[in-house]
Amino acid sequence: MKRSIAMVSLSILLLSGCTQQADVMEPTAEEAAKVNPQTQALEAATQAGLISEDVAVGLSEQEALQQVAGAVDEAQYDVEATEETLSVGADAASAREYYVFVVSDTTGRTVGKVAVDRETGEKYNYLGDGVLDDYATFPLYDAEAEQHKGWPGSYVSPAGVTLTITQEEETGIVYCFSDGTEGTAAVNGETAKSADEQMNFLLADGIVTVAGGGLTGNYIAQ
């Protein structure tokens, strides 16, 4: 019940043959000043040389949906993608793009909508008409479920590959993938590099993004 960024270019899946609604709104001063943990981690990783500045960053629609579904009780609520295309920003150059999902209970009653930043995976309570509110105001927000601190834990990719991380020392982690790939990595805050320097890790907002070693992708905390 946690949440999802990608370090490499991932295709954005859109529903073909459907009419889409585009909303463009200028962000408030408070929104403009807000920097989420994932953006900070991405900037730190780029400065550390773990991510090339010319590498595209983004989440697929399925990864974003998993974030939303993982934050609610899936036995009581359904999460579905909408046909909306949401863009928020003063102009095309500064606009941020979001996926929009509708959350309904078992009777089909709409509980609310959640917008997910396509780049960082940050979730927002979507009020409609291009208006984003803090996710903490979403009716089903669960503060305890949203908390995930530190590297240790179990993560899973959209393809079902699991990643287990343990940490005994602040400067290093031990990682193990379900395909048998394992090793140690030196930690520098929210980034890490494997001992053989073939694999980079980025931790942000309950998501570990892996680059290299044939296991590149987003791994969402379970």
Side-chain angles (χ1 to χ4, degrees):
M1 303 174 75
K2 310 291 190 300
R3 42 189 185 160
S4 180
I5 53 184
M7 187 180 298
V8 297
S9 179
L10 299 176
S11 61
I12 298 175
L13 304 180
L14 296 176
L15 298 177
S16 60
C18 298
T19 302
Q20 297 184 324
Q21 171 187 343
D23 296 311
V24 179
M25 298 290 290
E26 184 169 350
T28 63
E30 182 178 353
E31 290 173 336
K34 181 179 179 181
V35 178
N36 64 56
Q38 291 166 312
T39 299
Q40 291 177 319
L42 283 171
E43 291 176 350
T46 300
Q47 293 171 0
L50 299 184
I51 305 177
S52 172
E53 293 185 2
D54 59 1
V55 172
V57 178
L59 290 120
S60 71
E61 186 178 55
Q62 182 61 32
E63 288 173 317
L65 186 149
Q66 282 187 294
Q67 274 194 281
V68 179
V72 301
D73 186 341
E74 295 182 76
Q76 299 186 48
Y77 301 97
D78 294 320
V79 179
E80 296 181 345
T82 70
E83 298 174 7
E84 296 179 73
T85 299
L86 178 63
S87 180
V88 179
D91 50 48
S94 63
R96 300 195 68 82
E97 306 295 326
Y98 302 83
Y99 294 111
V100 178
F101 302 94
V102 60
V103 181
S104 307
D105 61 21
T106 54
T107 69
R109 180 182 65 87
T110 297
V111 176
K113 290 184 177 181
V114 178
V116 179
D117 189 307
R118 296 190 183 200
E119 179 180 321
T120 68
E122 185 81 356
K123 297 195 299 292
Y124 295 89
N125 181 17
Y126 182 48
L127 305 180
D129 296 325
V131 180
L132 301 175
D133 200 359
D134 193 292
Y135 182 66
T137 66
F138 185 65
L140 302 180
Y141 173 77
D142 184 340
E144 183 176 348
E146 293 296 319
Q147 293 180 352
H148 181 84
K149 299 180 180 180
W151 289 92
S154 179
Y155 305 81
V156 63
S157 74
V161 178
T162 59
L163 165 63
T164 301
I165 294 179
T166 57
Q167 183 173 20
E168 294 183 359
E169 298 181 359
E170 186 176 345
T171 57
I173 59 173
V174 176
Y175 61 87
C176 180
F177 292 88
S178 55
D179 72 344
T181 301
E182 58 185 25
T184 61
V187 171
N188 180 14
E190 293 178 311
T191 64
K193 181 181 286 291
S194 62
D196 61 7
E197 299 188 345
Q198 298 301 304
M199 197 174 298
N200 293 315
F201 301 83
L202 169 65
L203 172 68
D205 206 21
I207 304 165
V208 172
T209 298
V210 178
L215 292 161
T216 294
N218 290 332
Y219 294 77
I220 306 170
Q222 294 182 293

